[in-house]
């Protein structure tokens, strides 16, 4: 018996409310993130990821408040990302109760920021989020590139090389999202996950594309992920966390009961 | 009302620890503080910690937290968490060997860049939920099943070999001391405040433990 593979429900939060909906009740407003996080905590989620998708200046105070309320009631690790640009942003999120902070675009424009953040707060709380798209043509050796602005802007950076660089800079974990698969429900890009996971010494969270429970299994067995992240299959009530864990366990994956 | 002092020496997020303590022990005041008099006046003390050991030990020495920890642990329970546990050991390999408080003789070592379980390479940090085998009876383990999982996140570990104080053992490529206990001190490598029910039970047990 060893370390369990983690299942991480992800909350996309816009102006203090979860968006994407639970059970299609209201697509735009799925309620209070603290309520949703508490439900996942009760179900046995291994961590919670909170993405502030507005991340505007005005919405920041709401985010700190929400994180603070969440951390007072949910006693599992909490990662908060979205719009993290300065050491002060990180300090405020950690002080509000986040255990880890996700850095995305800021790392692309200033890789030294990751080094500064890890030096200041420790690698254990610095998660670098990597959004990658496959850029190789069919028949070519697979290659992925980093994109910013929700997958619209290419950067010319090779995803695997970038992942290695981020761990050298002090990232303690990588949140790897396939922009090709995000929202498709056809499964993770396991080729991307495997390439990155094999290249770096730190844990990798696979993200983007989960539509059924077999995808979670594949992310681990084929992609080599240490943790799997999903949003809609849990939010829409398609599956519960215990169902996901039972399915993974039945396929020989070690999970926390 | 009982008071638990959570020693604030500027390293890491103490909000989670204090909220978790308040959650399990409603009649206890959790006081995040660096004031020696408040710490001396508390019924119990928690030494948390995250980050690099050199920075932690520098702050611990500057604020004389090392002396305080020795002093208060003589007559009341003390709980070390994560780097707070490592700081109680003799010394740590991190940052090119740093001398620690030395209340326990064990050394803190790096998992290394080539950690393996059989043919499988293991990721470092050791991050996630791992099983803790209770190797010593202790009131702080009350109502927690053996081999229960707790949340870990660390790249350095206290040696399990020849460690007479080990109270809990975990395996991640190597055997490591997940918990040590002696007299009034109980210290854990994992994060009870982030370990859901088992972690909250541990904190509850600590809040009810009157010491050795």
């Amino acid at each position: 018996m060893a370390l369990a593979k983690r299942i991480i429900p992800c909350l996309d939060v816009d102006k203090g409310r979860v968006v994407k909906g639970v059970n299609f009740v209201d697509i735009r407003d799925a309620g209070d993130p603290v309520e949703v996080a508490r439900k996942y905590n009760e179900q046995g989620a291994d961590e919670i990821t909170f993405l502030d998708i507005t991340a505007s200046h005005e919405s920041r105070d709401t985010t700190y408040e929400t994180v603070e309320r969440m951390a007072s009631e949910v006693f599992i690790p909490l990662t908060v990302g979205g719009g993290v640009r300065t050491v002060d942003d990180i300090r405020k999120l950690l002080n509000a109760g986040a255990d880890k902070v996700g850095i995305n675009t800021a790392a692309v424009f200033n890789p030294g920021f990751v080094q500064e953040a890890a030096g200041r707060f420790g690698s254990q709380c610095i998660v670098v989020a990597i959004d990658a798209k496959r850029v190789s043509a069919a028949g070519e050796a697979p290659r992925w590139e980093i994109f910013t602005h929700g997958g619209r802007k290419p950067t010319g950076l090779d995803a695997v090389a970038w992942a290695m660089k981020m761990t050298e800079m002090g990232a303690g974990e990588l949140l790897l999202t396939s922009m090709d698969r995000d929202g498709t429900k056809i499964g993770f890009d396991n080729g991307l996950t495997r390439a990155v996971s094999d290249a770096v010494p730190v844990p990798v969270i696979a993200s983007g594309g989960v539509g059924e429970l077999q995808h979670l299994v594949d992310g681990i067995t084929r992609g080599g992920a240490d943790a799997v992240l999903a949003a809609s299959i849990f939010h829409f009530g398609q599956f519960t966390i215990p169902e996901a864990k039972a399915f993974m366990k039945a396929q020989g994956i070690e999970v926390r009961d | 009302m009982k008071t638990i002092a959570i020693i604030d020496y500027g390293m890491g997020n103490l909000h989670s620890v204090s909220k978790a303590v308040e959650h399990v022990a409603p009649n206890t005041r959790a006081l995040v503080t660096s004031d020696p008099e408040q710490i001396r006046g508390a019924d119990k003390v928690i030494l948390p910690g995250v980050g690099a050991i050199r920075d932690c030990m520098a702050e611990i020495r500057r604020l004389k937290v090392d002396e305080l920890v020795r002093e208060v642990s003589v007559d009341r329970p003390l709980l070390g968490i994560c780097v707070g546990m490592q700081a109680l050991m003799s010394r740590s390999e991190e940052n090119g060997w740093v001398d620690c408080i030395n209340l326990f003789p064990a050394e803190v070592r790096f998992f290394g860049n080539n950690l393996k379980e059989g043919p499988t390479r293991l990721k470092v940090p050791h991050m996630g939920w791992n099983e803790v085998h209770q190797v010593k009876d202790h009131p702080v383990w009350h109502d927690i099943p053996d081999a229960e999982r707790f949340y870990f996140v660390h790249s350095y570990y206290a040696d399990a070999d020849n460690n007479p104080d080990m109270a809990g053992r975990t395996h991640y490529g190597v055997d490591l001391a997940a918990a040590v206990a002696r007299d009034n001190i109980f210290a854990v490598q994992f994060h009870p405040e982030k370990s859901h029910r088992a972690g909250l039970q541990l904190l509850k047990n600590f809040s009810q433990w009157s010491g050795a």
Side-chain angles (χ1 to χ4, degrees), chain B residues 185-202:
Chain B
I185 304 179
F186 196 91
V188 294
Q189 177 60 65
F190 51 83
H191 287 273
E193 76 281 11
K194 288 288 154 186
S195 294
H196 200 199
R197 291 193 189 95
L200 294 176
Q201 181 66 43
L202 188 146

Side-chain angles (χ1 to χ4, degrees), chain B residues 37-56:
Chain B
E37 285 321 301
Q38 284 193 324
I39 295 165
R40 286 193 182 98
D43 299 288
K44 294 184 175 74
V45 175
I46 296 179
L47 181 68
V50 296
I53 195 75
R54 183 175 48 210
D55 299 345
C56 283

Side-chain angles (χ1 to χ4, degrees), chain A:
Chain A
M1 298 300 270
L3 189 64
K5 298 296 181 183
R6 289 169 281 154
I7 297 187
I8 308 176
C10 178
L11 314 185
D12 289 329
V13 180
D14 185 9
K15 300 183 189 75
R17 306 293 287 182
V18 178
V19 295
K20 277 191 177 173
V22 176
N23 294 330
F24 292 97
V25 171
D26 180 346
I27 299 297
R28 281 308 299 167
D29 188 342
D32 179 10
V34 179
E35 292 295 323
V36 178
R38 193 192 291 146
K39 182 190 81 178
Y40 290 137
N41 176 50
E42 281 308 306
Q43 287 188 0
D46 298 309
E47 279 183 44
I48 301 280
T49 289
F50 175 123
L51 289 181
D52 179 4
I53 63 168
T54 3
S56 67
H57 200 61
E58 304 77 54
S59 74
R60 278 326 255 192
D61 288 344
T62 313
T63 297
Y64 298 132
E65 257 171 54
T66 310
V67 169
E68 196 161 338
R69 281 196 298 128
M70 203 178 278
S72 305
E73 297 185 41
V74 175
F75 299 107
I76 56 175
L78 172 63
T79 301
V80 184
V84 174
R85 289 185 185 87
T86 66
V87 163
D88 196 46
D89 292 339
I90 299 178
R91 188 194 321 280
K92 282 183 181 153
L93 287 172
L94 295 176
N95 285 342
D99 299 289
K100 302 186 243 185
V101 170
I103 302 175
N104 189 350
T105 311
V108 175
F109 295 114
N110 177 16
F113 177 49
V114 172
Q115 194 167 29
E116 187 189 1
R120 194 77 69 92
F121 305 105
S123 289
Q124 82 289 335
C125 66
I126 304 300
V127 182
V128 170
I130 295 179
D131 295 342
K133 257 190 201 179
R134 193 181 282 255
V135 290
S136 48
E140 279 180 357
R143 205 166 57 77
W144 298 267
E145 199 174 305
I146 304 299
F147 279 69
T148 61
H149 299 84
R152 291 191 305 276
K153 290 197 179 171
T155 62
L157 296 165
D158 176 76
V160 175
W162 177 251
M164 291 166 73
K165 180 170 177 178
M166 287 297 98
T167 60
E168 282 158 21
M169 290 284 185
E173 188 173 37
L174 301 177
L175 168 56
L176 179 64
T177 303
S178 161
M179 302 306 296
D180 302 306
R181 298 300 178 91
D182 206 24
T184 62
K185 296 185 166 284
I186 59 170
F188 297 119
D189 183 342
N190 293 313
L192 168 67
T193 310
R194 174 58 75 182
V196 170
S197 186
D198 282 354
V200 299
V202 303
V204 172
I205 305 166
S207 156
V210 174
E212 49 186 272
L213 298 181
Q214 184 62 41
H215 296 156
L216 300 175
V217 171
D218 293 344
I220 286 161
T221 56
R222 296 171 59 190
D226 302 282
V228 285
L229 180 138
S232 54
I233 61 161
F234 299 129
H235 293 339
F236 291 97
Q238 189 183 350
F239 300 106
T240 64
I241 304 280
E243 283 166 354
K245 288 195 169 181
F247 186 88
M248 291 164 79
K249 195 174 180 179
Q251 301 215 34
I253 294 173
E254 198 157 345
V255 292
R256 177 173 74 105
D257 290 322

Side-chain angles (χ1 to χ4, degrees), chain B residues 111-140:
Chain B
F111 280 119
N113 293 316
N114 196 25
L115 188 66
K116 284 190 164 169
E117 193 68 72
T120 311
R121 186 184 58 134
L122 298 177
K123 299 298 183 72
V124 176
H126 172 217
M127 186 185 284
W129 300 79
N130 208 337
E131 293 177 348
V132 175
H133 300 273
Q134 298 166 16
V135 297
K136 210 181 243 189
D137 277 337
H138 198 284
V140 174

Side-chain angles (χ1 to χ4, degrees), chain B residues 76-93:
Chain B
R76 76 203 82 180
L78 182 130
L79 176 67
I81 299 177
C82 195
V83 176
M85 166 182 164
Q86 296 181 1
L88 299 172
M89 304 298 126
S90 63
R91 59 187 200 133
S92 169
E93 189 177 358

